[in-house]
Amino acid sequence: MASKSVSAAAGSRQSSVSSTGSIDPFSVAQVYYGPETDFTTHKMSNLIRTRTLSTVQTRSTNNTPDFLKSVPRRRASQDAQSLTPRKFLVDVNLTLQALLESEDTDGNMQITIEDLGPKVLQLGTANSNGFNKFDIRGTYMLSNLLQELTLAKEYGRKSIILDEQRLNENPVSRLSRLIRTQFWDSLTRRIDASLLEVIAVDPKNRSKDQSPRIYVPPTEKEQYEYYVREASKRPHLNLQVEYLPATITADWVKSVNDKAGLLALAMDHVVDEFTGQSTLRGKPFVVPGGRFNELYGWDSYMIALGLLVDGRVDLAKGILENFIFEIKYYGKILNANRSYYLSRSQPPFLTDLALKVYEKTIFEPGSLELLNESFKAAIVEYKQVWMSPPRLDQESGLSCYHPDGIGIPPETEASHFEHLLMPYAEKHKLSLEDFQRQYNDGIVKEPALDEYFVHDRAVRESGHDTTYRLEKRCANLATVDLNSLLYKYEVDIAHTIRTMFGDKLVLHDGSVETSASWDRRARRRKNLIDQYLWNEEKGMYFDYDIVQKKKSEYESATTFWAMWAGCASPKQAARLVSDALPKFEEFGGLVSGTERSRGVIGLDRPNRQWDYPYGWAPQQILAWVGLIRYGYEEDAERLVYRWLYMITKAFVDYNGIVVEKYDVTRPVDPHRVDAEYGNQGSDFKGVAKEGFGWVNASYTFGLTLITSHARRALGACTPPGLFYASRYSYV
């Protein structure tokens, strides 16, 4: 662990007040509403701009707000004729109350197009000491006003000078700015003293023992002692620190279901800038959404794409280093770093992440060494996880999602499996709680349930939880997504060993890897993918059932992952674009699966969140990159525009909302997703502060793939059909 100094900096910050006393209107909230910009103090009184005109103001000071009576008198102003952006003088609490009473007609602390208020509120201008009024009109400006007032109140401000530019900012610029300067920081975590109070508590823990826990690898004595020391400083937290066993088995993982805990991640040696003493600091990572505190697998890769675009290389590098730590100590990149996930991985993206981080850090000391360690870890993961039983199907040579595990997944909601388990409880004349305990302990044997939970755990490992594509058969499917990702591993490893390490990579066990063996693996997997997964008649890839010995018929957007990985031939790519793409393209981008494949839904067969009509950021991103890779730039840009338009329009119409997933068939309110777990990111009061990790990333990344003309059209909320009407014959 490298030694470095503890720094309070967390990403780029915009300046607050210039030498002339002006404030950047787009400063981050802690600057814009911080103490340095409080104009009610004498040192900031110059923020009320004074102008010398021929007419002296004669208005009585009785009209002046109380909080401005200490501000020097000024001469008359001509606000209506000013060409400079307006600034408003705002009493935070009074304006917030008036705004909500007038505009938030449904009482949800958000101002949206569904509210029935007059859609107008007057604010007094700063140049007139609040005397001259200006109308704030429309849902977008009013909802931005609500967001700004909510932030100002949280920072303890009773009165503010508010730039009009923060209210009428181009929505593309505003959302991009918030992601870059606020959302990433709000989603950043590290496992050390700075966040122990928050991060150690597990809202998914339903056991009787609610004590927070941290499990530490048995050889990480220094980490263990650090957490014990920090726990002793917080007796109210009752934090338990325990070593993991040297060998982790499914039986052991099940045995600690009632003592669930956080798994330690990578740390740095640092020097505390206040005490001057050596200590440890957790390497940072970014969580999917505000309610999460764990490092997730494939979420983190998608998030890193956005971080790298936004210049947050520190966070992307932290994610990479934590992944290497997980492989070293836990044997795999985990679903997430909680004890009940120790047997479960997620879709593998490590080699591509390592290469992208290296591209951004190529001139930094240690960058090549980090790339070296990343690829050593990827090779271990490839061989021990994905190319070993039970995930490897020996007959076909392809791999499946198939984690170990015993019993009922403990992280699910208490009622999640009630409909499934109740008939078995009744059969054994047990209460539901007693049946679950006896089944988990192996006292009650139910082979059918065993089979069900094998596939349920596999679905969760796939990251596509849940979908009818995988239900009750996931562990039996050699999926196009997983095998495309493993092909990408093979190609990346071969190319990197050949070009970066002199065609020789020595692993930690002394074995040597060369590019030739990985080239052979890639060629073999491509042949197997063509043999088992490609359907020439339909012009797309399908999953292969290793038990039934036939292809699945479910049409999934994962078919485009083969283009992202580069394992489709030019002819296959052309078929995917001509035959498959029209099946998935909807108003807001790519849908996860076709309506025909999903089938009829109803009370007895509810919708699943990874099925039609829902679209997810990873499916969009991988398809965009795949299309561009094969030369289909226009198709990629069209899909990017659809997705970004949908996000932007919901952001404008629904109080700055950014959510986990979208109904890509709904032009008006695509954030409304009622399937299964609802929609993360929609439950906020006044202002959204995090968005959702991979949607944030898809927005930031997507903007790099479209033209400036398309970006301007997005800012004007021009619907896709109208924007492309002159170029395409369909909407």
Side-chain angles (χ1 to χ4, degrees):
M1 293 182 286
S3 179
K4 57 186 73 172
S5 175
V6 176
S7 172
S12 59
R13 290 285 181 266
Q14 301 178 34
S15 60
S16 55
V17 184
S18 73
S19 59
T20 61
S22 63
I23 304 171
D24 182 345
F26 302 120
S27 296
V28 292
Q30 58 263 47
V31 171
Y32 194 80
Y33 299 117
E36 290 186 359
T37 63
D38 189 347
F39 65 88
T40 62
T41 64
H42 285 287
K43 70 173 184 175
M44 295 304 297
S45 62
N46 61 336
L47 292 178
I48 301 292
R49 185 168 60 89
T50 59
R51 295 167 57 191
T52 304
L53 298 178
S54 58
T55 305
V56 177
Q57 181 182 10
T58 59
R59 175 169 61 87
S60 169
T61 56
N62 291 333
N63 293 326
T64 304
D66 291 339
F67 58 84
L68 277 179
K69 288 183 178 178
S70 62
V71 177
R73 291 281 304 275
R74 55 172 298 283
R75 297 182 184 273
S77 171
Q78 298 176 349
D79 295 273
Q81 299 178 18
S82 175
L83 298 179
T84 59
R86 296 178 183 86
K87 295 178 183 289
F88 301 110
L89 197 59
V90 181
D91 182 301
V92 173
N93 290 325
L94 290 179
T95 307
L96 183 59
Q97 180 181 352
L99 178 64
L100 292 173
E101 289 177 353
S102 174
E103 300 294 344
D104 181 24
T105 59
D106 58 10
N108 67 347
M109 288 292 290
Q110 298 176 19
I111 296 175
T112 74
I113 59 172
E114 295 173 2
D115 286 303
L116 303 178
K119 302 295 185 185
V120 61
L121 187 80
Q122 288 192 331
L123 293 181
T125 62
N127 276 349
S128 68
N129 285 353
F131 183 79
N132 293 337
K133 305 296 182 182
F134 181 80
D135 288 347
I136 306 300
R137 291 183 175 274
T139 297
Y140 180 59
M141 288 187 70
L142 290 168
S143 68
N144 286 346
L145 177 59
L146 173 59
Q147 295 167 52
E148 297 299 330
L149 292 174
T150 302
L151 289 170
K153 185 174 182 179
E154 290 181 0
Y155 281 95
R157 295 294 295 274
K158 297 185 182 302
S159 52
I160 58 173
I161 294 175
L162 180 62
D163 286 88
E164 183 182 16
Q165 291 169 278
R166 285 180 88 91
L167 303 183
N168 63 8
E169 184 180 5
N170 180 295
V172 175
S173 299
R174 181 176 177 87
L175 179 51
S176 300
R177 174 176 63 82
L178 291 175
I179 292 170
R180 184 178 64 256
T181 64
Q182 178 179 317
F183 289 3
W184 293 137
D185 286 340
S186 296
L187 293 172
T188 298
R189 305 285 189 273
R190 60 178 82 240
I191 309 178
D192 60 23
S194 65
L195 283 174
L196 275 181
E197 300 277 350
V198 174
I199 202 167
V201 177
D202 184 4
K204 294 182 179 181
N205 182 10
R206 294 187 285 109
S207 67
K208 294 179 180 178
D209 186 350
Q210 289 292 304
S211 298
R213 276 182 175 75
I214 294 180
Y215 287 103
V216 181
T219 58
E220 282 293 312
K221 181 180 179 182
E222 192 175 8
Q223 281 198 12
Y224 178 85
E225 292 174 348
Y226 169 83
Y227 289 124
V228 168
R229 185 166 60 251
E230 294 301 327
S232 68
K233 298 175 184 177
R234 301 164 177 80
H236 63 282
L237 193 57
N238 195 29
L239 176 64
Q240 308 297 305
V241 184
E242 300 184 24
Y243 277 122
L244 288 166
T247 301
I248 298 171
T249 65
D251 284 314
W252 185 86
V253 174
K254 196 272 293 182
S255 74
V256 295
N257 281 349
D258 60 348
K259 296 190 298 181
L262 195 66
L263 302 173
L265 293 175
M267 304 188 82
D268 284 316
H269 285 104
V270 299
V271 176
D272 191 303
E273 62 183 354
F274 299 108
T275 67
Q277 296 180 340
S278 176
T279 185
L280 294 179
R281 188 185 192 204
K283 290 185 182 291
F285 56 94
V286 179
V287 298
R291 74 181 182 93
F292 298 95
N293 286 312
E294 303 86 12
L295 171 73
Y296 276 77
W298 74 316
D299 291 76
S300 296
Y301 167 77
M302 301 297 166
I303 288 168
L305 297 179
L307 293 172
L308 292 172
V309 171
D310 282 335
R312 298 307 305 270
V313 181
D314 59 321
L315 296 179
K317 184 178 177 182
I319 289 170
L320 176 61
E321 291 171 322
N322 280 314
F323 279 168
I324 295 170
F325 184 95
E326 286 190 332
I327 292 172
K328 178 180 179 180
Y329 290 110
Y330 310 133
K332 60 182 71 67
I333 293 176
L334 299 171
N335 184 156
N337 61 313
R338 292 280 181 187
S339 56
Y340 39 73
Y341 293 132
L342 275 164
S343 298
R344 193 188 309 164
S345 188
Q346 276 202 324
F349 287 91
L350 180 58
T351 59
D352 197 67
L353 174 60
L355 290 169
K356 284 181 166 51
V357 169
Y358 179 71
E359 289 172 3
K360 294 290 187 178
T361 60
I362 189 170
F363 298 113
E364 294 181 8
S367 60
L368 187 60
E369 289 78 4
L370 179 58
L371 184 69
N372 184 291
E373 288 300 315
S374 300
F375 273 76
K376 288 177 181 177
I379 290 171
V380 170
E381 179 199 22
Y382 174 91
K383 292 182 177 181
Q384 294 185 1
V385 179
W386 302 112
M387 293 300 290
S388 297
R391 293 177 177 88
L392 175 65
D393 176 47
Q394 301 282 1
E395 183 175 337
S396 68
L398 296 172
S399 298
C400 308
Y401 297 111
H402 194 145
D404 294 325
I406 296 173
I408 303 165
E411 78 275 11
T412 55
E413 292 82 356
S415 61
H416 187 76
F417 294 113
E418 279 187 5
H419 68 289
L420 172 71
L421 299 176
M422 187 58 74
Y424 291 96
E426 293 172 351
K427 170 185 171 182
H428 291 275
K429 296 181 172 55
L430 294 169
S431 68
L432 184 62
E433 183 178 356
D434 286 342
F435 173 77
Q436 292 181 76
R437 179 179 53 78
Q438 292 192 25
Y439 172 71
N440 284 338
D441 291 342
I443 299 171
V444 171
K445 306 293 185 181
E446 286 292 349
L449 272 184
D450 295 343
E451 178 76 6
Y452 177 90
F453 286 118
V454 165
H455 296 303
D456 181 83
R457 284 187 290 271
V459 171
R460 298 174 192 280
E461 181 169 80
S462 78
H464 292 73
D465 46 324
T466 65
T467 164
Y468 288 116
R469 167 191 168 219
L470 305 176
E471 187 170 1
K472 299 180 182 179
R473 59 175 180 167
C474 185
N476 295 341
L477 293 178
T479 65
V480 60
D481 38 295
L482 176 56
N483 286 282
S484 294
L485 297 180
L486 294 178
Y487 173 82
K488 181 70 160 54
Y489 262 45
E490 292 155 353
V491 171
D492 286 348
I493 293 170
H495 181 263
T496 303
I497 290 177
R498 183 166 49 248
T499 60
M500 301 302 298
F501 303 122
D503 211 14
K504 179 182 178 181
L505 182 63
V506 181
L507 304 186
H508 291 297
D509 63 3
S511 61
V512 177
E513 297 288 343
T514 64
S515 62
S517 63
W518 290 94
D519 283 329
R520 288 193 296 271
R521 288 184 176 98
R523 287 194 296 269
R524 180 173 184 269
R525 189 175 300 275
K526 174 171 169 46
N527 290 334
L528 294 175
I529 288 174
D530 288 344
Q531 177 184 348
Y532 289 103
L533 308 183
W534 176 254
N535 186 311
E536 180 64 27
E537 179 184 352
K538 295 186 176 181
M540 59 186 294
Y541 296 94
F542 291 85
D543 304 326
Y544 176 73
D545 192 313
I546 62 175
V547 174
Q548 297 184 8
K549 313 297 182 188
K550 66 177 184 179
K551 294 182 182 69
S552 166
E553 295 183 355
Y554 190 102
E555 297 165 331
S556 169
T558 54
T559 191
F560 299 108
W561 292 30
M563 294 179 70
W564 176 85
C567 66
S569 68
K571 182 180 178 181
Q572 288 170 324
R575 291 292 306 282
L576 284 164
V577 172
S578 64
D579 295 5
L581 186 55
K583 295 176 183 289
F584 298 95
E585 185 171 354
E586 296 287 348
F587 178 86
L590 291 177
V591 70
S592 293
T594 63
E595 186 174 15
R596 183 196 68 80
S597 294
R598 180 202 63 186
V600 178
I601 59 172
L603 292 177
D604 296 328
R605 194 174 184 270
N607 216 343
R608 303 296 193 211
Q609 63 178 2
W610 281 90
D611 287 328
Y612 181 92
Y614 307 121
W616 293 73
Q619 308 289 34
Q620 319 301 319
I621 293 171
L622 298 179
W624 301 340
V625 175
L627 289 165
I628 292 171
R629 179 174 192 151
Y630 285 84
Y632 297 97
E633 287 88 356
E634 287 191 357
D635 295 285
E637 184 180 340
R638 187 180 69 251
L639 291 176
V640 173
Y641 190 91
R642 288 187 180 280
W643 179 255
L644 299 189
Y645 170 81
M646 179 184 62
I647 295 172
T648 305
K649 193 65 165 62
F651 177 80
V652 167
D653 289 347
Y654 289 91
N655 209 99
I657 198 167
V658 179
V659 290
E660 178 186 31
K661 53 189 173 286
Y662 292 85
D663 182 338
V664 294
T665 68
R666 296 171 74 109
V668 176
D669 53 354
H671 64 289
R672 288 234 163 80
V673 175
D674 298 324
E676 299 190 286
Y677 311 110
N679 216 349
Q680 301 301 320
S682 60
D683 185 18
F684 62 88
K685 303 296 184 184
V687 59
K689 298 177 182 176
E690 301 110 359
F692 197 85
W694 59 21
V695 175
N696 300 343
S698 72
Y699 199 83
T700 295
F701 180 69
L703 286 174
T704 69
L705 305 179
I706 61 174
T707 65
S708 57
H709 177 51
R711 180 170 178 142
R712 287 193 297 271
L714 272 181
C717 290
T718 307
L722 181 60
F723 180 63
Y724 285 102
S726 61
R727 298 172 61 183
Y728 299 98
S729 59
Y730 58 87
V731 176

